[in-house]
Amino acid sequence: MTIDYSEKIPNNVELAGDRTLQRALEHWQPRFVQWWGTMGPSDFAAADVYLRTAVGVDAAGWATYGQVRMPDYRWGIFLADAKPGRTIGFGDDYGLPVWHQVPGEYRSQLRRLIVTQGDTEPASVEQQRLLGHTCPSLYDLRNLFQINVEEGRHLWAMVYLLHAYFGRDGREEAEALLERHSGDADKPRILGTFNEPITDWLSFFMFTYFTDRDGKYQLKSLAESAFDPLARTTQFMLTEEAHHMFVGETGLSRVIKRTLEVMSELRNDDASAVRNAGAVDLPTFQRYLNFWFSSSLDLFGSEISSNAASSFATGLKGRPDESQYEEHRCVDSLFALTTPAQGGGVKDEEVPMRNAMNEVLRSSYIRDCELGLKRWNRQLERAGIAFRLALPSSRFNRTIGVWSAASCDLTGEIITSATFERGRDQWLPSAGDREFVMSLMQRVVDPMRMAGWIAPPERGINSLPVDYEYVRLS
Ligand code: BYC
């Protein structure tokens, strides 16, 4: 099915057949546009950007490329095709037909999940608002804007669900999604990571590698939901999410490549020599990685969570790729967990599997994060550099869950809070690191050039050359 772009809100949900819903969404639309104008990418409204827009949800339609001004981007509502006869894949109602409406008893819990998901989308656009001013190339500028417009569309996806299935409460929540703002002292975004500033491109690439990957895991588990409209919406969002993680992974790999070139030119791997030559030294890279990884781990919630147990039991939220598991009810199974013991040390305990679902997701996520590390370490190895990047322990620098009460070093050893504070600047970006990284952020908008701290990508977008004018600035 091809989407009709002459409609005010492009969609494949037959909006024209539901006048009340259409009017409610058309009422929200100018507020979104106003939010985009004030909180979205600053100062690039007149630029022509080479963007992909979905014109259908199938392989042929989901990525159509062309020059677009961002305020004219058509944010649409798309659900993946329905699977006839789909049944609930996990929890107490395993095997029963999926729901096409919200069961009354699950209404507030489901709304909370959709609002939490929806809140992250505009938050990330707000976090990245100023990055366009310091882009390392037009290629990167285009990728930033592609991500921004798609996060805007993901907000639309959640707002559609709120309007279509949650009545007045849903409409109020949709308004509130535009009223909370990233980092706002009075009305912050719901989840911690989405209030962290992203003022440099190294943080942007870390965010798109680590935080968008949390998005992948959360969306995959919502794509299993018994509430079919949520499952179909998130399934289509995942198609777009893959590019965001690609930007993170290749961005970080290009930073490392450039650092290695500089080390080789200098015949010196000393961090200050690398910095003086205008590249990111590897210890600084590792500290940024430590920060964004540990912050993203918090996004999975507590290791032991009654919310998670209830979302699984009721069929609201499953595990990513639920079909890969042998057992889908998880009533009697246990999960082994190590937690900090009162009075020091650690203790091993077994918790009901359903209560440990956040940890099940987090463990899969960590394994996925490792893949990038392996690739980057191969780059270092091939260059003959002894330095190796590593993920810190999942106990390190946590502010949510059982480890938030303990101070731990990078290996997960429990230490005193005073020792943590002494180690902080070795483990996490210091004020000096941030100042240095910011000093590298000089805007490059000549299509033939790339900032000195990052290597060019291996290929351009949609088979175009790397030096294509991806953004035409007015
Ligand atoms: N910061 O039982 P708990 C993405 C709250 S990213 C602050 O531990 P639960 C994207 C929690 O809300 C994916 N608060 O955890 C990426 C709860 O508060 P309430 C976003 C936190 O409920 C890049 C309380 O602590 N999607 O798409 O089992 C760019 C106790 O909760 C945090 C989702 O997250 C935190 N880090 O699980 C753009 C999916 N963690 O309700 C987009 C939807 C927990 O008692 N959300 N809390 O007031 C969920 O599935 C769950 O809400 C969570 C938490 C996994 C987040």
Side-chain angles (χ1 to χ4, degrees):
M1 175 181 174
T2 299
I3 282 133
D4 179 1
Y5 269 81
S6 64
E7 285 189 53
K8 218 167 172 181
I9 304 171
N11 69 89
N12 71 350
V13 293
E14 291 176 42
L15 203 51
D18 185 341
R19 288 271 170 231
T20 314
L21 176 60
Q22 188 177 30
R23 264 199 303 276
L25 285 165
E26 284 179 2
H27 184 69
W28 187 81
Q29 190 176 36
R31 292 167 197 236
F32 169 81
V33 171
Q34 194 198 8
W35 166 83
W36 181 269
T38 50
M39 301 305 289
S42 103
D43 283 343
F44 290 89
D48 281 319
V49 189
Y50 186 72
L51 293 176
R52 71 175 182 197
T53 308
V55 297
V57 291
D58 56 1
W62 79 272
T64 302
Y65 289 87
Q67 300 284 348
V68 181
R69 290 186 180 187
M70 281 187 284
D72 301 333
Y73 188 82
R74 305 304 306 279
W75 286 279
I77 299 167
F78 311 122
L79 267 59
D81 291 336
K83 290 190 190 116
R86 182 173 170 249
T87 54
I88 300 174
F90 61 92
D92 291 342
D93 294 335
Y94 177 68
L96 295 180
V98 291
W99 323 315
H100 300 284
Q101 290 298 329
V102 181
E105 62 273 38
Y106 306 147
R107 198 179 160 84
S108 68
Q109 201 179 346
L110 188 57
R111 193 184 60 214
R112 182 74 186 150
L113 284 177
I114 293 170
V115 165
T116 307
Q117 177 64 48
D119 191 70
T120 63
E121 317 290 0
S124 69
V125 176
E126 293 169 353
Q127 285 171 294
Q128 297 160 17
R129 171 172 164 70
L130 296 175
L131 286 178
H133 294 284
T134 56
C135 62
S137 70
L138 286 182
Y139 165 90
D140 290 292
L141 186 61
R142 177 265 166 209
N143 282 344
L144 168 72
F145 292 156
Q146 181 71 58
I147 290 174
N148 289 164
V149 293
E150 281 173 355
E151 299 301 6
R153 207 200 65 71
H154 293 180
L155 168 61
W156 269 96
M158 293 301 115
V159 164
Y160 162 70
L161 294 177
L162 290 170
H163 274 246
Y165 297 97
F166 294 89
R168 176 203 278 259
D169 295 353
R171 290 193 295 278
E172 284 173 6
E173 292 284 13
E175 299 287 323
L177 286 170
L178 299 176
E179 285 161 9
R180 287 185 292 271
H181 297 307
S182 178
D184 190 307
D186 299 323
K187 286 189 170 181
R189 290 297 175 181
I190 297 170
L191 300 175
T193 314
F194 293 89
N195 290 304
E196 298 290 350
I198 304 181
T199 47
D200 64 77
W201 283 74
L202 182 58
S203 297
F204 171 66
F205 291 133
M206 293 286 175
F207 178 92
T208 43
Y209 186 80
F210 289 110
T211 310
D212 274 278
R213 196 168 306 272
D214 166 57
K216 168 182 161 183
Y217 279 80
Q218 299 297 341
L219 290 175
K220 266 177 168 282
S221 55
L222 295 175
E224 301 289 338
S225 182
F227 179 47
D228 205 45
L230 175 61
R232 290 171 59 199
T233 311
T234 45
Q235 205 186 320
F236 183 62
M237 288 161 76
L238 278 161
T239 323
E240 294 170 326
E241 200 68 34
H243 175 70
H244 307 183
M245 286 177 293
F246 162 86
V247 168
E249 179 174 350
T250 53
L252 293 175
S253 162
R254 289 162 56 209
V255 174
I256 294 172
K257 186 172 177 200
R258 182 65 195 135
T259 299
L260 291 172
E261 284 168 4
V262 166
M263 283 178 171
S264 153
E265 283 159 19
L266 295 173
R267 294 174 188 279
N268 190 346
D269 58 7
D270 176 65
S272 57
V274 172
R275 279 189 175 201
N276 287 337
V280 180
D281 55 290
L282 295 172
T284 300
F285 188 100
Q286 176 71 61
R287 285 192 284 275
Y288 272 69
L289 185 158
N290 293 344
F291 172 75
W292 286 103
F293 176 67
S294 56
S295 180
S296 302
L297 288 181
D298 278 342
L299 294 173
F300 290 84
S302 302
E303 287 75 2
I304 307 167
S305 164
S306 55
N307 287 348
S310 139
S311 294
F312 188 86
T314 51
L316 300 183
K317 185 181 171 190
R319 292 167 289 187
D321 305 310
E322 183 62 47
S323 62
Q324 73 175 339
Y325 294 91
E326 273 177 21
E327 212 278 302
H328 301 289
R329 292 181 196 270
C330 302
V331 180
D332 303 319
S333 44
L334 297 171
F335 187 90
L337 206 58
T338 304
T339 56
Q342 261 187 352
V346 297
K347 66 175 190 302
D348 292 326
E349 55 180 311
E350 291 199 314
V351 295
M353 181 64 83
R354 286 180 171 188
N355 292 69
M357 282 305 169
N358 289 341
E359 193 57 14
V360 171
L361 258 68
R362 187 165 22 238
S363 306
S364 313
Y365 165 83
I366 293 172
R367 283 196 295 277
D368 198 12
C369 288
E370 290 280 6
L371 300 178
L373 272 283
K374 273 198 189 124
R375 277 193 280 271
W376 303 327
N377 279 333
R378 266 204 302 276
Q379 279 179 267
L380 300 179
E381 195 183 336
R382 275 201 297 270
I385 298 292
F387 191 99
R388 290 290 175 270
L389 295 161
L391 292 178
S393 160
S394 59
R395 302 173 186 178
F396 171 75
N397 195 39
R398 294 290 301 282
T399 63
I400 298 282
V402 292
W403 292 100
S404 61
S407 296
C408 294
D409 67 11
L410 293 176
T411 66
E413 199 71 37
I414 298 178
I415 52 179
T416 64
S417 55
T419 311
F420 183 87
E421 286 311 318
R422 276 199 300 278
R424 180 184 282 279
D425 284 357
Q426 284 158 259
W427 299 331
L428 292 165
S430 65
D433 291 337
R434 292 189 190 280
E435 201 181 316
F436 164 69
V437 170
M438 274 314 286
S439 76
L440 298 178
M441 300 296 123
Q442 306 291 333
R443 170 181 170 125
V444 176
V445 289
D446 174 348
M448 306 303 285
R449 286 188 51 228
M450 187 69 47
W453 56 271
I454 186 164
E458 278 171 22
R459 61 188 70 85
I461 298 294
N462 194 28
S463 308
L464 290 174
V466 171
D467 59 9
Y468 180 76
E469 195 177 358
Y470 288 103
V471 182
R472 295 195 194 125
L473 301 167
S474 54

